[in-house]
Amino acid sequence: FDSFAFFNEKAASKANLFFRLENLLYEALDKQQFYLTYQPILQINTGEITGMEALLRWHHPEIGEISPVNLIPLAEKTDLIVPIGEWILRTACQQNRQWQAAGVPPLPVCINLCLNQFQNPDLISNIQSILEENQLEPHWLTIEVTESIIMENIDYSRRAIEQLAAMGVNLSLDDFGVGLGSLSCLQQFKIPAVKIHQSFIKDLDHSPVNEAIVTGIMTLGRKLGIRIISEGVETQQQLEVLQKLQCQEIQGFWFSKPLKVDAATELLSQNKIKADPLA
Ligand code: C2E
Ligand code: MG
Ligand code: MG
Ligand code: MG
């Protein structure tokens, strides 16, 4: 039994698979199989939309829809995450520019970054040139990163976060509460906004544990002057608990699923959405 040959064969087939994956992603970019959907974030009390989160979608002609949960980690294994990430940033900023040009009330577009994108040495200059290209003021862009991305290299993150803040780009800490370093992250960095992970919002209306956790996060937010956004709000019952806990901002299927451009534009054009979402 020639284990060396066996190993080589396995390595070769892995390399081959990898090559095919890279081609698939390259083709997706080239043939415009990627598109962005946008999910509104809104103020609980006024119904005002305070941001639109861009969420990546991939429609492959044979496979169909591929979730970003699968797509992003695959793309991260290849160098293509860099051009894909740039495409996301550019497309969302262009879209936001178009919304502003159409006269909808201006709001930030929120972009998720994965580790490789965040640690890309060209991150700041890429953001800068995309904003300039689109004549978009930096405060109409929000960068969402998770605590695990920030804590991966604290020194690097400190510089990047300072540079983003100096530029005037907003930062949100995504998926708050599930990562091991969530609290350390607040301890070490000036974080202006936190998005509570949806697992804490799920069952909020009949889980005393979740209610206690969300109450704690709201207290943290008030004491530290951090905006708190609840993700994954699906029901009226969850919304009512969040209102009781004085959470100001929500995102979730209760109000809207992520929308394709046309539907998102229509929603934004309605300008005043719902005076009181609880009414
Ligand atoms: P995320 O940034 O935390 O985005 C929120 C996810 O929750 C989205 O899933 C959204 O569709 C989903 N969601 C929103 N409201 C509800 C709700 O009420 N109930 C439930 N069950 N889910 C809700 P999606 O679009 O599948 O994205 C999943 C994750 O993939 C994102 O989590 C983000 O980490 C990543 N992702 C998505 N788009 C991008 C992107 O453009 N770039 C990068 N780097 N990551 C992305
Ligand atoms: Mg996000
Ligand atoms: Mg999240
Ligand atoms: Mg996430």
Side-chain angles (χ1 to χ4, degrees), residues 184-204:
S184 303
C185 199
L186 295 190
Q187 181 191 44
Q188 307 239 14
F189 297 95
K190 176 123 190 49
I191 304 288
V194 153
K195 299 181 83 172
I196 303 179
H197 189 261
Q198 54 191 56
S199 58
F200 300 109
I201 307 303
K202 194 173 187 289
D203 300 330
L204 185 60

Side-chain angles (χ1 to χ4, degrees), residues 153-165:
N153 180 340
I154 292 182
D155 291 332
Y156 170 84
S157 298
R158 199 169 299 288
R159 285 195 304 277
I161 289 174
E162 274 171 16
Q163 283 174 306
L164 285 172

Side-chain angles (χ1 to χ4, degrees), residues 18-28 80:
F18 189 76
F19 178 73
R20 277 162 56 197
L21 169 68
E22 223 166 10
N23 270 337
L24 218 60
L25 290 171
Y26 179 80
E27 218 176 73
L80 281 162

Side-chain angles (χ1 to χ4, degrees), residues 53 55 111-112 144 174-175 195 231 251:
E53 179 174 9
L55 294 160
I111 314 279
N112 294 283
E144 294 193 6
D174 205 354
D175 298 347
K195 299 181 83 172
E231 278 196 292
Q251 179 179 355

Side-chain angles (χ1 to χ4, degrees), residues 191-256:
I191 304 288
V194 153
K195 299 181 83 172
I196 303 179
H197 189 261
Q198 54 191 56
S199 58
F200 300 109
I201 307 303
K202 194 173 187 289
D203 300 330
L204 185 60
D205 48 315
H206 45 259
S207 160
V209 173
N210 280 1
E211 182 170 333
I213 290 170
V214 173
T215 304
I217 298 175
M218 295 313 303
T219 305
L220 264 175
R222 270 190 297 275
K223 295 224 171 187
L224 301 177
I226 298 172
R227 270 171 69 192
I228 308 288
I229 299 147
S230 295
E231 278 196 292
V233 180
E234 292 185 350
T235 67
Q236 182 74 24
Q237 288 79 0
Q238 292 164 354
L239 181 77
E240 281 164 15
V241 178
L242 287 168
Q243 213 182 30
K244 185 184 83 186
L245 301 180
Q246 293 181 301
C247 177
Q248 288 118 351
E249 287 171 86
I250 55 163
Q251 179 179 355
F253 297 167
W254 174 80
F255 181 71
S256 172

